[in-house]
Amino acid sequence: MVKNGALEIQESHKSGKWILKIRGPLIKDTVQEFNTVVEPYFKKLGPVVIDLSDISFFDTFGVSTLVEKYQWSRIMEQDFSFKGMEPEIQDILKLEGLDHFLCLDKA
């Protein structure tokens, strides 16, 4: 488990996937912490799933960071998805036309 400031990130490796469970707010003040922990996983073998079920709050910086990570995963040809995204956040992304960027993992 990694605890950086306001974010706590728990790593596990299940069924060939790296799963990163994020706890805390994903906001302007924490996106750099998020990036520091998440970016090395783009260099590991196997899919990466970001579990957002314990995110306490998103702001526009948090949403932009998720979209950026997804776009970067496409460039790096990394299998990358999200799970546990609250329906309210999914609705906001749909309204903004960003939902197609964020693949949701069913596992």
Side-chain angles (χ1 to χ4, degrees):
M1 181 180 325
V2 176
K3 191 166 185 174
N4 286 341
L7 284 181
E8 186 177 307
I9 302 173
Q10 184 177 13
E11 170 197 289
S12 62
H13 193 249
K14 297 178 185 171
S15 303
K17 297 179 181 180
W18 292 100
I19 300 172
L20 302 175
K21 185 169 184 74
I22 314 297
R23 287 191 178 99
L26 191 54
I27 58 175
K28 180 181 179 182
D29 295 337
T30 63
V31 293
Q32 187 57 45
E33 297 170 36
F34 176 82
N35 289 335
T36 298
V37 173
V38 171
E39 286 178 4
Y41 286 88
F42 286 98
K43 297 175 183 158
K44 294 186 178 191
L45 297 176
V48 176
V49 178
I50 304 294
D51 184 344
L52 302 170
S53 58
D54 287 338
I55 291 289
S56 58
F57 184 76
F58 281 95
D59 66 7
T60 55
F61 290 93
V63 172
S64 295
T65 297
L66 297 180
V67 172
E68 177 185 275
K69 292 296 161 263
Y70 179 76
Q71 291 173 326
W72 196 33
S73 74
R74 294 297 141 232
I75 292 168
M76 301 291 288
E77 298 181 349
Q78 176 75 36
D79 187 3
F80 184 76
S81 60
F82 298 96
K83 78 176 202 175
M85 189 177 291
E86 293 291 326
E88 296 83 11
I89 300 297
Q90 291 180 39
D91 290 344
I92 290 168
L93 293 172
K94 286 178 188 174
L95 285 172
E96 296 297 323
L98 298 173
D99 57 313
H100 64 281
F101 283 108
L102 305 178
C103 294
L104 299 178
D105 189 85
K106 306 289 187 226

